[in-house]
Each structure stands twice: as C-alpha cells, then as structure tokens.
Amino acid sequence: MEKLRNCSLKEYNTFGIDATADLLVKYSSEQELLAFLDEYQREMSHQPLLHIGGGSNLLFLSDFPGVILFSEIKDISVLFEDEETVQVSVGAGITHDDFVLYAIQHGWYGLENLSLIPGQVGSSAVQNIGAYGAEVGNLINKVYTVSLQDGSTRAWDHDELSYSYRHSIFKDEAYRGKYAVCHVIFQLEKHFTPCLNYGGLMSSVQAKQIHPENLSAMQLRDIIIETREKKLPDPKVIGNAGSFFMNPIVGVDVLHRIQEQYPKAPFYEVDSRHVKVPAGWLIEQCGWKGKSLGPAAVHDKQALVLVNKGGATGKDILCLCKAVQQSVFERFCIQLSPEVNFIGES
Ligand code: EPU
C-alpha cells in the first residue's frame, strides 16, 4: 500500500486538471484495501472517500478535501474454459486496453471494438464503456466488490448489474460511490467473429483490401485504434475525457422535428419509439466545433470531446460545458447530459 499526502491529481485524471487530494491511497490487493478501510473507519471517517479509476471520466472542480483510493490489483487468472468460451478474472487496476491486447494475444475474443478506450478494468465495468457497436457489459459475467462503507465483499451476477447505455447499477443513486470493484470476470469467445456493423467499420476493413472473412482480431484492433486516433485527441498530448456528453435518447417525434430542418441528421435506432442522436452532431450544428472559451475548447475533429488547451481548471471546463448545453437546448430543445463525473464544489 502506498499513501501520498497532499497529492497532485494531475497524473490521475486525463483532463490534466491540477487539483490536490489530502491523501491518495494505492492498494494492490483486496486485503490491503480492507486493512485501509479499517484504518479509515477508526481514524478518518469524517473525511470524504472517493474511489477513482484511470481518471478518464472525471472532472475535478476543486481540490479534494479527503481520501482518494486507487486500485493496483493486477492479477489475471483463467477460471474456466472449454472449446468455445473462457472465463477470466481480471484485477480492477489493470488498464482496460492492456487487457484487450492480452485477450487477443491469448485467443480470447469480444473486446476488439473496445480497443484504446482509456481507463481501468474496474471503471469499465462501472461505466459500461462502449464503442463501435460493442459494450463491455455484454462480456461481463460477474463483478466482485468491497463495500466502502462496511468492508463487506459481494459478487454481482451479470443480471444484477443493470447494464444499459453507459450505465450500471453502480451509477444508480443508491449505489454510487459505495463500492470498490476488485475483480471483473469476463466471458470471452474462443472463435473470432468480427463485429463490423457500426458506421464506417466495414468500409475501413475493405479499404485495407482485407476480406472480412480473413480479418484477424489483431487487424480489427489496429483498425479501431487508427479510427479512434484520427478523431480523438491523445490525453497525453491534450487533456480530455473522451466523449464529454452522452448521446441523448429522444422520442422519434423529436427526431422528426429535427429532420424538418436537417433532413440528413444522423441517428441510431434504439427501439421503435426512440432514437439516439449524436451529441457531437448537435454541438457542431450550434457552431461550437473547434471553438474555445478561455483555456477550454471543443475539439476540432470531434465536437463531443471537450479539451484542456493547457492550464484549464475544472471550472473552466464546466463553463464551456454549460455554454454548450445551453446552445444545444436553445436550438434543439434537447438537454445534453455529461458522461463525465464531476467531483467537488462548482
Ligand atoms: N458527428 C458530427 N460532428 C461531430 C461528431 C460527430 O457531425 O463533431 C456525427 C457524425 O455524423 C457521426 C455521428 O455524429 O457519424 C456519430 O459520431 P461518432 O461515430 O464519432 O460516434 P459518437 O456517437 O460521437 C460514440 C461514443 C464514443 C465511441 C464512438 C464510436 C458516446 C457518448 N460516445 O461517439 O465513445 O468511441 O461512439 O463507437 O456514446 C467515449 O465514451 O469516450 C467515446 C469516445
């Protein structure tokens, strides 16, 4: 266990916001976490406690006057396998993309489309990360947690996790912030079946002169990485948290109203009465793409991403967030909800 006092959080959030925590605790096993929680209950329980992951979905609005927990549980073990599938237990502190690569290298498939998404395995299970037609929740069989309130451990079966678009039970009001994910059990396939139905994926494969039947999982991973790198800024170069807003799910009547003015408005069907409208498109129509507000800006290649041009505070990003939300609401009567979690006082 490592304890860092008055610790800068700059390296712990991909926006690169230079907030400070009173104490940052890194633990590398469930036992270490339980030992720390015991100490916390005895000596520090008046201070707020926050568990972070890779910091790729966080916006610190102020310094954090309390304790931040960070997992370095990094073991991987196979629990079960047969000809078709494998069940793998993965430590929550492993970087999600490192596990995607590890899985492909071991002939375990299903995660390819989620390549290069930042963050840790534990947070991927909380956030139900998704991209290019895949969502991690569909590949998660079980999640093991420790309660931050009383140190009790619990296994959650897939059906208890309430996975839906960027949502799990751990984001519900009653459960939010109350658990540390320690291990995630993935169920992956031993036979590779590429998922190419999302947008331009099939054409990217064809552009490489690869027949979809001959496509390998590693080639698909490389295509996904290339696609993401074209549009999404590298957080190591320019601070950002990927998609800042969720794509709003609206009734088809709202889409029809938009289509009267924009017949080519993009959308994804959710069910017979609802569609998802890309927030990036809505923001672009409002003229925000590439625009700045102080040191915060809307990325010039993907309007869904807000960036820290250098030295921005959480409040600078929040100001831009509110201005973008207001423009979209005024023009489309749609309220954008942030995908990013705000921490601290605004
Ligand atoms: N669009 C614009 N202008 C923009 C951005 C998008 O017009 O500035 C339009 C384009 O027409 C495009 C459509 O919006 O066809 C959809 O855009 P894109 O395919 O880039 O995907 P997205 O809906 O913007 C979602 C996820 C991403 C994920 C991609 C690919 C959310 C909130 N975001 O973005 O996830 O990588 O699909 O599957 O669902 C993340 O969560 O951090 C993330 C990057």
Side-chain angles (χ1 to χ4, degrees):
M1 190 178 343
E2 195 181 347
K3 290 182 186 164
L4 304 166
R5 288 188 198 281
N6 292 324
C7 179
S8 164
L9 298 168
K10 202 166 179 204
E11 301 299 317
Y12 294 89
N13 72 99
T14 58
F15 257 123
I17 304 291
D18 197 5
T20 303
D22 285 1
L23 182 65
L24 181 106
V25 177
K26 298 185 192 181
Y27 61 91
S28 48
S29 68
E30 197 175 301
Q31 290 68 27
E32 278 189 9
L33 171 63
L34 290 171
F36 174 74
L37 287 176
D38 198 41
E39 184 186 333
Y40 172 82
Q41 287 306 342
R42 277 185 283 113
E43 293 166 23
M44 308 166 222
S45 60
H46 56 284
Q47 291 198 35
L49 183 65
L50 170 73
H51 202 300
I52 61 169
S56 57
N57 247 308
L58 290 182
L59 181 63
F60 287 106
L61 298 176
S62 55
D63 287 338
F64 188 74
V67 182
I68 292 198
L69 289 171
F70 182 82
S71 172
E72 289 191 323
I73 301 181
K74 292 196 173 183
D75 55 304
I76 299 182
S77 58
V78 172
L79 301 181
F80 166 85
E81 63 184 314
D82 61 17
E83 296 273 289
E84 308 290 323
T85 61
V86 58
Q87 274 182 17
V88 200
S89 165
V90 186
I94 290 182
T95 299
H96 159 80
D97 191 53
D98 290 350
F99 179 59
V100 175
L101 178 61
Y102 183 96
I104 296 173
Q105 285 168 338
H106 284 74
W108 307 332
Y109 306 118
L111 289 161
E112 310 72 38
N113 292 33
L114 304 175
S115 293
L116 208 64
I117 296 184
Q120 292 180 333
V121 164
S123 19
S124 79
V126 171
Q127 202 73 9
N128 191 17
I129 58 170
Y132 306 104
E135 276 184 1
V136 81
N138 293 329
L139 303 163
I140 290 176
N141 182 265
K142 238 185 237 295
V143 169
Y144 286 91
T145 59
V146 165
S147 160
L148 297 178
Q149 290 175 320
D150 62 14
S152 59
T153 55
R154 177 166 172 184
W156 306 70
D157 284 329
H158 174 89
D159 292 344
E160 295 176 287
L161 292 164
S162 303
Y163 281 128
S164 60
Y165 173 59
R166 295 293 195 281
H167 182 82
S168 74
I169 194 163
F170 304 116
K171 292 182 84 179
D172 281 347
E173 198 54 41
Y175 298 87
R176 186 187 288 261
K178 296 193 173 141
Y179 294 89
V181 172
C182 287
H183 286 93
V184 178
I185 314 301
F186 288 88
Q187 172 138 343
L188 301 172
E189 299 295 319
K190 294 260 189 96
H191 299 286
F192 173 57
T193 320
C195 163
L196 301 176
N197 11 6
Y198 183 89
L201 263 192
M202 183 62 98
S203 43
S204 306
V205 172
Q206 284 160 348
K208 299 223 170 284
Q209 320 269 327
I210 305 172
H211 192 281
E213 278 181 17
N214 298 329
L215 181 73
S216 72
M218 200 58 95
Q219 283 171 322
L220 178 53
R221 171 178 164 80
D222 290 343
I223 288 171
I224 298 283
I225 290 177
E226 211 176 283
T227 311
R228 287 185 74 89
E229 282 179 339
K230 265 189 216 145
K231 280 206 237 167
L232 298 170
D234 179 354
K236 289 189 199 96
V237 181
I238 181 156
N240 76 92
S243 300
F244 193 90
F245 299 100
M246 289 195 267
N247 287 333
I249 296 173
V250 299
V252 283
D253 53 321
V254 175
L255 176 69
H256 292 154
R257 203 185 61 221
I258 295 175
Q259 283 172 329
E260 281 168 21
Q261 207 186 340
Y262 303 93
K264 291 194 176 147
F267 64 92
Y268 315 106
E269 202 176 294
V270 173
D271 58 38
S272 61
R273 287 182 296 134
H274 297 92
V275 291
K276 223 191 268 175
V277 184
W281 180 86
L282 295 168
I283 297 167
E284 183 170 349
Q285 302 320 303
C286 294
W288 274 108
K289 197 171 189 170
K291 291 271 161 60
S292 303
L293 196 62
V298 176
H299 187 49
D300 55 356
K301 296 198 189 76
Q302 163 58 289
L304 189 53
V305 178
L306 304 190
V307 299
N308 173 1
K309 290 198 302 178
T313 62
K315 283 178 185 156
D316 293 327
I317 308 279
L318 182 65
C319 264
L320 176 61
C321 159
K322 286 185 173 162
V324 166
Q325 279 175 314
Q326 191 179 339
S327 299
V328 169
F329 189 74
E330 279 167 8
R331 175 160 312 195
F332 295 103
C333 269
I334 293 177
Q335 184 65 40
L336 291 183
S337 303
E339 180 180 315
V340 167
N341 301 305
F342 298 160
I343 310 293
E345 311 275 321
S346 66

